Amino acid sequence: MAKTAFQLPKGTRDILPEEQPYWAHLNAVIREITDVYQYARLDVPVFEETALFQRGVGEATDIVEKEMYTFTDKGQNSITLRPEFTAGVIRSYIQNGMSSLPTPVKVWSTGPVFRYERPQSGRFRQFHQFNAEAIGDKDPVLDFEIMDMAFRLYQRLGFQKLSFQLNSIGCPECRPVYLGRLVDYYRGHTAQLCEDCKKRLDKNPLRLLDCKQDMCQPVIAGAPPIVQHLCDECNRHFKALCLYLDSLNRPYTLNHRLVRGLDYYTKTVFEVWAEGIGSQNAVCGGGRYDGLIELLGGQPTPSVGFAAGLERIVMMMQQQQIPVPGLPGPVIYFACQHQEAQKQALIYLSGLRDSGIAGLVGLGGRSFKAQFREANRRQARYVVTLGDTELGSSSVLIKHMETGDQETIQGDQLIRYITEHGR
RNA sequence: GUGGGUAUAGCUCAGCUUGGUUAGAGCGCCAGGUUGUGGCCCUGGAGGUCACGGGUUCGAGUCCCGUUACUCACCCCA
């Protein structure tokens, strides 16, 4: 029989104990932020019927065209692992009649999402997102709030070198008019375009603007900015959002090339870019999607939201050396001479654990020296030595590892001793 | 899907150019350095089909070919 060591699937990763403090801190900050902004947690399934994502994310997107984990289950249903949160959240909003809740409905989610891509630095096939949506109103105050929540998240984590990129891509009223002008402009420059852009011209002209090929840059530079072609409503909306951002001194960069990859966006789109975590620098993306809920079978309902990539945030935390609370070591470690001592240690430990005090017992066959070494490496605050001497007098010899002081006390005074001398 | 890079101990890597007896280091792990005690230091031990499969050669971790995996990047995104 061949010895095959199992390897984790491509694009997945283990989050090892040593990395967990970053995640614990990040999740604590997320909870704090969502609480402050009054967003309620909503958990949706990791998989949904395939058609939800096909329609909700958009047939023409890379996600739907080539990145979905889709399979047929035993009931012959086409199932897809969620490639993002929004479609599932909106499905839940409609299915659970949340339109009858006070408007707007503000919910957040977190968990793994899945995209079949070639992994690289900062990109995985299974990764985690923090997602928030404000559903039910078109007020630009909500656009601001969503961006502000992202801003505060990163600020609270202590990040430097972030930039907020902002654009408006209009609505079904004004975007077609703009796209007409954009296409007209591009028709005059087809000779200077890359192959992809020649296709985009017919298929998805908005994407012409975020092409990164060198040869296309001069053409993009001369293209008409969409923000100058917004309808009155979109223009007022965008101006109001900028006003709020300016008033609160939230830094942002207007980027008329930012168009985003998902089909459902209207008006506001934004991303947050980081430095120093590889070439995949988007740590957060979001915007408004006023047409999505109707598209998925609900009443016409405006909505705005964002998603942040947690792996990329953790990478930034490590790269920028953001301090995070570590895992606490045991308060007490019992170094035992023999099995009889171990038995007594288990009795003491049970009482300590009842009081919420963390402790460990040294395992058999090891010398006191070895047990002290382990206690030290595990950063135990106290070590109790249990041998014949202590067992004979119902006492314990307790040592404070930091100072090196040790004294003998009665066993039934352990909890009191620890309480008085600190954990 | 398309490119580049890398594969030797649990981890980080030497060794390859100039093939040659039992394949190394640091860290980590385990155990010791007499009488029941950590951190520093010293000693010892466990742990490797040198990614896999072919080829050249008297002889391959080392040279050649192929495969696979990992990784970075492109497209696109978190």
Side-chain angles (χ1 to χ4, degrees), chain A residues 228-257:
Chain A
Q228 291 174 14
H229 298 270
L230 297 175
C231 62
D232 284 349
E233 185 194 325
C234 286
N235 194 46
R236 278 201 305 274
H237 186 95
F238 191 58
K239 288 287 186 296
L241 172 58
C242 292
L243 174 67
Y244 300 147
L245 291 168
D246 291 338
S247 301
L248 275 295
N249 292 314
R250 300 291 184 254
Y252 63 93
T253 303
L254 292 180
N255 181 350
H256 75 270
R257 301 179 45 177

PDB file of all heavy atoms in Angstrom, chain A residues 228-257:
ATOM      1  N   GLN A 228     -18.906  63.009 -15.476  1.00  0.00           N
ATOM      2  CA  GLN A 228     -19.357  64.223 -16.164  1.00  0.00           C
ATOM      3  C   GLN A 228     -20.582  63.971 -17.024  1.00  0.00           C
ATOM      4  O   GLN A 228     -21.077  64.860 -17.702  1.00  0.00           O
ATOM      5  CB  GLN A 228     -18.223  64.788 -17.027  1.00  0.00           C
ATOM      6  CG  GLN A 228     -17.084  65.354 -16.189  1.00  0.00           C
ATOM      7  CD  GLN A 228     -15.891  65.779 -17.022  1.00  0.00           C
ATOM      8  OE1 GLN A 228     -15.993  65.902 -18.246  1.00  0.00           O
ATOM      9  NE2 GLN A 228     -14.762  66.007 -16.363  1.00  0.00           N
ATOM     10  N   HIS A 229     -21.064  62.728 -16.999  1.00  0.00           N
ATOM     11  CA  HIS A 229     -22.213  62.382 -17.840  1.00  0.00           C
ATOM     12  C   HIS A 229     -23.344  61.761 -17.033  1.00  0.00           C
ATOM     13  O   HIS A 229     -24.184  61.065 -17.568  1.00  0.00           O
ATOM     14  CB  HIS A 229     -21.776  61.425 -18.955  1.00  0.00           C
ATOM     15  CG  HIS A 229     -20.754  62.034 -19.863  1.00  0.00           C
ATOM     16  ND1 HIS A 229     -21.082  62.751 -20.997  1.00  0.00           N
ATOM     17  CD2 HIS A 229     -19.400  62.079 -19.782  1.00  0.00           C
ATOM     18  CE1 HIS A 229     -19.982  63.185 -21.588  1.00  0.00           C
ATOM     19  NE2 HIS A 229     -18.939  62.795 -20.867  1.00  0.00           N
ATOM     20  N   LEU A 230     -23.309  61.987 -15.724  1.00  0.00           N
ATOM     21  CA  LEU A 230     -24.368  61.421 -14.882  1.00  0.00           C
ATOM     22  C   LEU A 230     -25.662  62.209 -15.049  1.00  0.00           C
ATOM     23  O   LEU A 230     -25.631  63.411 -15.323  1.00  0.00           O
ATOM     24  CB  LEU A 230     -23.932  61.468 -13.408  1.00  0.00           C
ATOM     25  CG  LEU A 230     -22.697  60.654 -13.035  1.00  0.00           C
ATOM     26  CD1 LEU A 230     -22.326  60.898 -11.578  1.00  0.00           C
ATOM     27  CD2 LEU A 230     -22.917  59.167 -13.288  1.00  0.00           C
ATOM     28  N   CYS A 231     -26.794  61.519 -14.851  1.00  0.00           N
ATOM     29  CA  CYS A 231     -28.078  62.219 -14.852  1.00  0.00           C
ATOM     30  C   CYS A 231     -28.180  63.056 -13.575  1.00  0.00           C
ATOM     31  O   CYS A 231     -27.364  62.916 -12.659  1.00  0.00           O
ATOM     32  CB  CYS A 231     -29.239  61.223 -14.949  1.00  0.00           C
ATOM     33  SG  CYS A 231     -29.322  60.071 -13.551  1.00  0.00           S
ATOM     34  N   ASP A 232     -29.170  63.883 -13.494  1.00  0.00           N
ATOM     35  CA  ASP A 232     -29.295  64.789 -12.349  1.00  0.00           C
ATOM     36  C   ASP A 232     -29.337  64.023 -11.033  1.00  0.00           C
ATOM     37  O   ASP A 232     -28.669  64.392 -10.066  1.00  0.00           O
ATOM     38  CB  ASP A 232     -30.563  65.642 -12.485  1.00  0.00           C
ATOM     39  CG  ASP A 232     -30.360  66.740 -13.523  1.00  0.00           C
ATOM     40  OD1 ASP A 232     -29.193  66.944 -13.942  1.00  0.00           O
ATOM     41  OD2 ASP A 232     -31.349  67.373 -13.919  1.00  0.00           O
ATOM     42  N   GLU A 233     -30.135  62.956 -11.013  1.00  0.00           N
ATOM     43  CA  GLU A 233     -30.273  62.218  -9.763  1.00  0.00           C
ATOM     44  C   GLU A 233     -28.944  61.608  -9.334  1.00  0.00           C
ATOM     45  O   GLU A 233     -28.519  61.728  -8.183  1.00  0.00           O
ATOM     46  CB  GLU A 233     -31.328  61.122  -9.916  1.00  0.00           C
ATOM     47  CG  GLU A 233     -31.593  60.394  -8.604  1.00  0.00           C
ATOM     48  CD  GLU A 233     -32.365  59.103  -8.808  1.00  0.00           C
ATOM     49  OE1 GLU A 233     -33.229  59.055  -9.702  1.00  0.00           O
ATOM     50  OE2 GLU A 233     -32.084  58.140  -8.073  1.00  0.00           O
ATOM     51  N   CYS A 234     -28.275  60.926 -10.290  1.00  0.00           N
ATOM     52  CA  CYS A 234     -26.991  60.305  -9.963  1.00  0.00           C
ATOM     53  C   CYS A 234     -25.968  61.354  -9.569  1.00  0.00           C
ATOM     54  O   CYS A 234     -25.147  61.142  -8.669  1.00  0.00           O
ATOM     55  CB  CYS A 234     -26.473  59.491 -11.151  1.00  0.00           C
ATOM     56  SG  CYS A 234     -27.365  57.940 -11.398  1.00  0.00           S
ATOM     57  N   ASN A 235     -26.010  62.483 -10.234  1.00  0.00           N
ATOM     58  CA  ASN A 235     -25.065  63.544  -9.941  1.00  0.00           C
ATOM     59  C   ASN A 235     -25.285  64.103  -8.535  1.00  0.00           C
ATOM     60  O   ASN A 235     -24.327  64.280  -7.775  1.00  0.00           O
ATOM     61  CB  ASN A 235     -25.209  64.658 -10.981  1.00  0.00           C
ATOM     62  CG  ASN A 235     -24.035  65.627 -10.927  1.00  0.00           C
ATOM     63  OD1 ASN A 235     -22.882  65.186 -10.860  1.00  0.00           O
ATOM     64  ND2 ASN A 235     -24.333  66.912 -10.918  1.00  0.00           N
ATOM     65  N   ARG A 236     -26.538  64.341  -8.192  1.00  0.00           N
ATOM     66  CA  ARG A 236     -26.843  64.829  -6.834  1.00  0.00           C
ATOM     67  C   ARG A 236     -26.399  63.821  -5.785  1.00  0.00           C
ATOM     68  O   ARG A 236     -25.834  64.173  -4.755  1.00  0.00           O
ATOM     69  CB  ARG A 236     -28.353  65.084  -6.702  1.00  0.00           C
ATOM     70  CG  ARG A 236     -28.823  66.413  -7.253  1.00  0.00           C
ATOM     71  CD  ARG A 236     -30.175  66.815  -6.651  1.00  0.00           C
ATOM     72  NE  ARG A 236     -31.177  65.781  -6.852  1.00  0.00           N
ATOM     73  CZ  ARG A 236     -31.926  65.662  -7.944  1.00  0.00           C
ATOM     74  NH1 ARG A 236     -31.784  66.535  -8.925  1.00  0.00           N
ATOM     75  NH2 ARG A 236     -32.805  64.689  -8.044  1.00  0.00           N
ATOM     76  N   HIS A 237     -26.666  62.552  -6.092  1.00  0.00           N
ATOM     77  CA  HIS A 237     -26.304  61.474  -5.171  1.00  0.00           C
ATOM     78  C   HIS A 237     -24.786  61.461  -4.932  1.00  0.00           C
ATOM     79  O   HIS A 237     -24.310  61.414  -3.796  1.00  0.00           O
ATOM     80  CB  HIS A 237     -26.762  60.144  -5.755  1.00  0.00           C
ATOM     81  CG  HIS A 237     -26.566  58.967  -4.842  1.00  0.00           C
ATOM     82  ND1 HIS A 237     -27.541  58.484  -4.022  1.00  0.00           N
ATOM     83  CD2 HIS A 237     -25.485  58.186  -4.612  1.00  0.00           C
ATOM     84  CE1 HIS A 237     -27.084  57.454  -3.328  1.00  0.00           C
ATOM     85  NE2 HIS A 237     -25.833  57.256  -3.674  1.00  0.00           N
ATOM     86  N   PHE A 238     -24.065  61.523  -6.021  1.00  0.00           N
ATOM     87  CA  PHE A 238     -22.600  61.465  -5.940  1.00  0.00           C
ATOM     88  C   PHE A 238     -22.037  62.678  -5.210  1.00  0.00           C
ATOM     89  O   PHE A 238     -21.163  62.557  -4.346  1.00  0.00           O
ATOM     90  CB  PHE A 238     -22.025  61.370  -7.357  1.00  0.00           C
ATOM     91  CG  PHE A 238     -20.559  61.047  -7.398  1.00  0.00           C
ATOM     92  CD1 PHE A 238     -20.064  59.893  -6.806  1.00  0.00           C
ATOM     93  CD2 PHE A 238     -19.665  61.893  -8.040  1.00  0.00           C
ATOM     94  CE1 PHE A 238     -18.716  59.589  -6.848  1.00  0.00           C
ATOM     95  CE2 PHE A 238     -18.300  61.592  -8.077  1.00  0.00           C
ATOM     96  CZ  PHE A 238     -17.839  60.445  -7.477  1.00  0.00           C
ATOM     97  N   LYS A 239     -22.579  63.848  -5.516  1.00  0.00           N
ATOM     98  CA  LYS A 239     -22.120  65.072  -4.868  1.00  0.00           C
ATOM     99  C   LYS A 239     -22.381  65.015  -3.360  1.00  0.00           C
ATOM    100  O   LYS A 239     -21.559  65.444  -2.551  1.00  0.00           O
ATOM    101  CB  LYS A 239     -22.823  66.298  -5.466  1.00  0.00           C
ATOM    102  CG  LYS A 239     -22.364  66.640  -6.878  1.00  0.00           C
ATOM    103  CD  LYS A 239     -20.961  67.238  -6.871  1.00  0.00           C
ATOM    104  CE  LYS A 239     -20.535  67.724  -8.245  1.00  0.00           C
ATOM    105  NZ  LYS A 239     -20.425  66.621  -9.230  1.00  0.00           N
ATOM    106  N   ALA A 240     -23.543  64.483  -3.011  1.00  0.00           N
ATOM    107  CA  ALA A 240     -23.883  64.395  -1.593  1.00  0.00           C
ATOM    108  C   ALA A 240     -22.917  63.466  -0.862  1.00  0.00           C
ATOM    109  O   ALA A 240     -22.427  63.778   0.224  1.00  0.00           O
ATOM    110  CB  ALA A 240     -25.320  63.907  -1.424  1.00  0.00           C
ATOM    111  N   LEU A 241     -22.627  62.324  -1.484  1.00  0.00           N
ATOM    112  CA  LEU A 241     -21.689  61.386  -0.868  1.00  0.00           C
ATOM    113  C   LEU A 241     -20.327  62.043  -0.652  1.00  0.00           C
ATOM    114  O   LEU A 241     -19.738  61.951   0.428  1.00  0.00           O
ATOM    115  CB  LEU A 241     -21.541  60.130  -1.747  1.00  0.00           C
ATOM    116  CG  LEU A 241     -20.454  59.137  -1.326  1.00  0.00           C
ATOM    117  CD1 LEU A 241     -20.683  58.643   0.097  1.00  0.00           C
ATOM    118  CD2 LEU A 241     -20.417  57.953  -2.291  1.00  0.00           C
ATOM    119  N   CYS A 242     -19.846  62.731  -1.673  1.00  0.00           N
ATOM    120  CA  CYS A 242     -18.551  63.412  -1.556  1.00  0.00           C
ATOM    121  C   CYS A 242     -18.592  64.475  -0.456  1.00  0.00           C
ATOM    122  O   CYS A 242     -17.632  64.644   0.296  1.00  0.00           O
ATOM    123  CB  CYS A 242     -18.174  64.064  -2.887  1.00  0.00           C
ATOM    124  SG  CYS A 242     -17.810  62.870  -4.185  1.00  0.00           S
ATOM    125  N   LEU A 243     -19.733  65.160  -0.371  1.00  0.00           N
ATOM    126  CA  LEU A 243     -19.884  66.180   0.669  1.00  0.00           C
ATOM    127  C   LEU A 243     -19.747  65.569   2.059  1.00  0.00           C
ATOM    128  O   LEU A 243     -19.046  66.093   2.925  1.00  0.00           O
ATOM    129  CB  LEU A 243     -21.242  66.873   0.526  1.00  0.00           C
ATOM    130  CG  LEU A 243     -21.610  67.868   1.634  1.00  0.00           C
ATOM    131  CD1 LEU A 243     -20.689  69.084   1.588  1.00  0.00           C
ATOM    132  CD2 LEU A 243     -23.075  68.288   1.535  1.00  0.00           C
ATOM    133  N   TYR A 244     -20.409  64.435   2.248  1.00  0.00           N
ATOM    134  CA  TYR A 244     -20.329  63.771   3.562  1.00  0.00           C
ATOM    135  C   TYR A 244     -18.897  63.320   3.854  1.00  0.00           C
ATOM    136  O   TYR A 244     -18.390  63.492   4.965  1.00  0.00           O
ATOM    137  CB  TYR A 244     -21.272  62.560   3.615  1.00  0.00           C
ATOM    138  CG  TYR A 244     -22.726  62.915   3.385  1.00  0.00           C
ATOM    139  CD1 TYR A 244     -23.578  62.018   2.742  1.00  0.00           C
ATOM    140  CD2 TYR A 244     -23.249  64.133   3.802  1.00  0.00           C
ATOM    141  CE1 TYR A 244     -24.904  62.322   2.522  1.00  0.00           C
ATOM    142  CE2 TYR A 244     -24.578  64.454   3.583  1.00  0.00           C
ATOM    143  CZ  TYR A 244     -25.406  63.551   2.942  1.00  0.00           C
ATOM    144  OH  TYR A 244     -26.703  63.862   2.724  1.00  0.00           O
ATOM    145  N   LEU A 245     -18.275  62.737   2.854  1.00  0.00           N
ATOM    146  CA  LEU A 245     -16.895  62.267   3.038  1.00  0.00           C
ATOM    147  C   LEU A 245     -15.972  63.435   3.374  1.00  0.00           C
ATOM    148  O   LEU A 245     -15.138  63.342   4.277  1.00  0.00           O
ATOM    149  CB  LEU A 245     -16.403  61.544   1.779  1.00  0.00           C
ATOM    150  CG  LEU A 245     -17.068  60.195   1.490  1.00  0.00           C
ATOM    151  CD1 LEU A 245     -16.723  59.720   0.070  1.00  0.00           C
ATOM    152  CD2 LEU A 245     -16.637  59.148   2.507  1.00  0.00           C
ATOM    153  N   ASP A 246     -16.151  64.541   2.652  1.00  0.00           N
ATOM    154  CA  ASP A 246     -15.324  65.730   2.902  1.00  0.00           C
ATOM    155  C   ASP A 246     -15.573  66.284   4.305  1.00  0.00           C
ATOM    156  O   ASP A 246     -14.646  66.644   5.024  1.00  0.00           O
ATOM    157  CB  ASP A 246     -15.635  66.821   1.869  1.00  0.00           C
ATOM    158  CG  ASP A 246     -15.163  66.441   0.474  1.00  0.00           C
ATOM    159  OD1 ASP A 246     -14.260  65.579   0.374  1.00  0.00           O
ATOM    160  OD2 ASP A 246     -15.698  66.988  -0.506  1.00  0.00           O
ATOM    161  N   SER A 247     -16.835  66.333   4.689  1.00  0.00           N
ATOM    162  CA  SER A 247     -17.185  66.923   5.980  1.00  0.00           C
ATOM    163  C   SER A 247     -16.574  66.149   7.137  1.00  0.00           C
ATOM    164  O   SER A 247     -16.257  66.710   8.176  1.00  0.00           O
ATOM    165  CB  SER A 247     -18.706  66.951   6.147  1.00  0.00           C
ATOM    166  OG  SER A 247     -19.294  67.697   5.100  1.00  0.00           O
ATOM    167  N   LEU A 248     -16.449  64.837   6.954  1.00  0.00           N
ATOM    168  CA  LEU A 248     -15.890  64.006   8.022  1.00  0.00           C
ATOM    169  C   LEU A 248     -14.393  63.776   7.820  1.00  0.00           C
ATOM    170  O   LEU A 248     -13.790  62.968   8.528  1.00  0.00           O
ATOM    171  CB  LEU A 248     -16.613  62.655   8.057  1.00  0.00           C
ATOM    172  CG  LEU A 248     -17.923  62.560   8.850  1.00  0.00           C
ATOM    173  CD1 LEU A 248     -17.688  62.770  10.338  1.00  0.00           C
ATOM    174  CD2 LEU A 248     -18.981  63.521   8.334  1.00  0.00           C
ATOM    175  N   ASN A 249     -13.826  64.461   6.828  1.00  0.00           N
ATOM    176  CA  ASN A 249     -12.400  64.295   6.533  1.00  0.00           C
ATOM    177  C   ASN A 249     -12.010  62.851   6.253  1.00  0.00           C
ATOM    178  O   ASN A 249     -10.971  62.381   6.711  1.00  0.00           O
ATOM    179  CB  ASN A 249     -11.548  64.841   7.682  1.00  0.00           C
ATOM    180  CG  ASN A 249     -11.655  66.350   7.800  1.00  0.00           C
ATOM    181  OD1 ASN A 249     -11.569  67.054   6.794  1.00  0.00           O
ATOM    182  ND2 ASN A 249     -11.884  66.834   9.000  1.00  0.00           N
ATOM    183  N   ARG A 250     -12.858  62.167   5.523  1.00  0.00           N
ATOM    184  CA  ARG A 250     -12.520  60.808   5.100  1.00  0.00           C
ATOM    185  C   ARG A 250     -11.770  60.893   3.782  1.00  0.00           C
ATOM    186  O   ARG A 250     -12.309  61.414   2.798  1.00  0.00           O
ATOM    187  CB  ARG A 250     -13.789  59.972   4.924  1.00  0.00           C
ATOM    188  CG  ARG A 250     -14.628  59.835   6.199  1.00  0.00           C
ATOM    189  CD  ARG A 250     -13.906  58.981   7.217  1.00  0.00           C
ATOM    190  NE  ARG A 250     -14.727  58.750   8.396  1.00  0.00           N
ATOM    191  CZ  ARG A 250     -14.535  59.331   9.582  1.00  0.00           C
ATOM    192  NH1 ARG A 250     -13.539  60.184   9.751  1.00  0.00           N
ATOM    193  NH2 ARG A 250     -15.322  59.041  10.592  1.00  0.00           N
ATOM    194  N   PRO A 251     -10.538  60.431   3.754  1.00  0.00           N
ATOM    195  CA  PRO A 251      -9.738  60.565   2.539  1.00  0.00           C
ATOM    196  C   PRO A 251     -10.235  59.641   1.424  1.00  0.00           C
ATOM    197  O   PRO A 251     -10.640  58.508   1.696  1.00  0.00           O
ATOM    198  CB  PRO A 251      -8.344  60.141   2.999  1.00  0.00           C
ATOM    199  CG  PRO A 251      -8.594  59.211   4.153  1.00  0.00           C
ATOM    200  CD  PRO A 251      -9.841  59.708   4.820  1.00  0.00           C
ATOM    201  N   TYR A 252     -10.243  60.133   0.203  1.00  0.00           N
ATOM    202  CA  TYR A 252     -10.601  59.284  -0.940  1.00  0.00           C
ATOM    203  C   TYR A 252     -10.032  59.879  -2.204  1.00  0.00           C
ATOM    204  O   TYR A 252      -9.695  61.067  -2.256  1.00  0.00           O
ATOM    205  CB  TYR A 252     -12.128  59.142  -1.063  1.00  0.00           C
ATOM    206  CG  TYR A 252     -12.865  60.429  -1.338  1.00  0.00           C
ATOM    207  CD1 TYR A 252     -13.159  60.823  -2.644  1.00  0.00           C
ATOM    208  CD2 TYR A 252     -13.252  61.273  -0.294  1.00  0.00           C
ATOM    209  CE1 TYR A 252     -13.838  62.008  -2.897  1.00  0.00           C
ATOM    210  CE2 TYR A 252     -13.918  62.451  -0.533  1.00  0.00           C
ATOM    211  CZ  TYR A 252     -14.209  62.829  -1.837  1.00  0.00           C
ATOM    212  OH  TYR A 252     -14.863  63.995  -2.095  1.00  0.00           O
ATOM    213  N   THR A 253      -9.900  59.053  -3.205  1.00  0.00           N
ATOM    214  CA  THR A 253      -9.405  59.482  -4.498  1.00  0.00           C
ATOM    215  C   THR A 253     -10.462  59.209  -5.547  1.00  0.00           C
ATOM    216  O   THR A 253     -10.950  58.081  -5.656  1.00  0.00           O
ATOM    217  CB  THR A 253      -8.124  58.687  -4.860  1.00  0.00           C
ATOM    218  OG1 THR A 253      -7.159  58.878  -3.827  1.00  0.00           O
ATOM    219  CG2 THR A 253      -7.560  59.153  -6.184  1.00  0.00           C
ATOM    220  N   LEU A 254     -10.844  60.241  -6.278  1.00  0.00           N
ATOM    221  CA  LEU A 254     -11.783  60.015  -7.383  1.00  0.00           C
ATOM    222  C   LEU A 254     -11.056  59.269  -8.494  1.00  0.00           C
ATOM    223  O   LEU A 254      -9.969  59.658  -8.905  1.00  0.00           O
ATOM    224  CB  LEU A 254     -12.315  61.356  -7.906  1.00  0.00           C
ATOM    225  CG  LEU A 254     -13.228  62.125  -6.947  1.00  0.00           C
ATOM    226  CD1 LEU A 254     -13.677  63.424  -7.598  1.00  0.00           C
ATOM    227  CD2 LEU A 254     -14.432  61.271  -6.545  1.00  0.00           C
ATOM    228  N   ASN A 255     -11.657  58.186  -8.929  1.00  0.00           N
ATOM    229  CA  ASN A 255     -11.000  57.324  -9.904  1.00  0.00           C
ATOM    230  C   ASN A 255     -12.015  56.951 -10.971  1.00  0.00           C
ATOM    231  O   ASN A 255     -12.798  56.023 -10.809  1.00  0.00           O
ATOM    232  CB  ASN A 255     -10.473  56.074  -9.182  1.00  0.00           C
ATOM    233  CG  ASN A 255      -9.740  55.131 -10.120  1.00  0.00           C
ATOM    234  OD1 ASN A 255      -9.782  55.306 -11.331  1.00  0.00           O
ATOM    235  ND2 ASN A 255      -9.069  54.152  -9.554  1.00  0.00           N
ATOM    236  N   HIS A 256     -11.984  57.671 -12.070  1.00  0.00           N
ATOM    237  CA  HIS A 256     -13.017  57.443 -13.087  1.00  0.00           C
ATOM    238  C   HIS A 256     -12.800  56.151 -13.868  1.00  0.00           C
ATOM    239  O   HIS A 256     -13.597  55.783 -14.703  1.00  0.00           O
ATOM    240  CB  HIS A 256     -13.121  58.644 -14.039  1.00  0.00           C
ATOM    241  CG  HIS A 256     -12.006  58.752 -15.028  1.00  0.00           C
ATOM    242  ND1 HIS A 256     -10.848  59.447 -14.767  1.00  0.00           N
ATOM    243  CD2 HIS A 256     -11.871  58.247 -16.276  1.00  0.00           C
ATOM    244  CE1 HIS A 256     -10.048  59.366 -15.824  1.00  0.00           C
ATOM    245  NE2 HIS A 256     -10.630  58.634 -16.748  1.00  0.00           N
ATOM    246  N   ARG A 257     -11.693  55.450 -13.540  1.00  0.00           N
ATOM    247  CA  ARG A 257     -11.456  54.149 -14.194  1.00  0.00           C
ATOM    248  C   ARG A 257     -11.963  52.994 -13.348  1.00  0.00           C
ATOM    249  O   ARG A 257     -11.896  51.840 -13.763  1.00  0.00           O
ATOM    250  CB  ARG A 257      -9.954  53.976 -14.448  1.00  0.00           C
ATOM    251  CG  ARG A 257      -9.398  55.079 -15.328  1.00  0.00           C
ATOM    252  CD  ARG A 257      -7.924  54.902 -15.544  1.00  0.00           C
ATOM    253  NE  ARG A 257      -7.601  53.505 -15.861  1.00  0.00           N
ATOM    254  CZ  ARG A 257      -6.375  53.089 -16.150  1.00  0.00           C
ATOM    255  NH1 ARG A 257      -5.398  53.945 -16.173  1.00  0.00           N
ATOM    256  NH2 ARG A 257      -6.161  51.823 -16.411  1.00  0.00           N
TER     257      ARG A 257
END
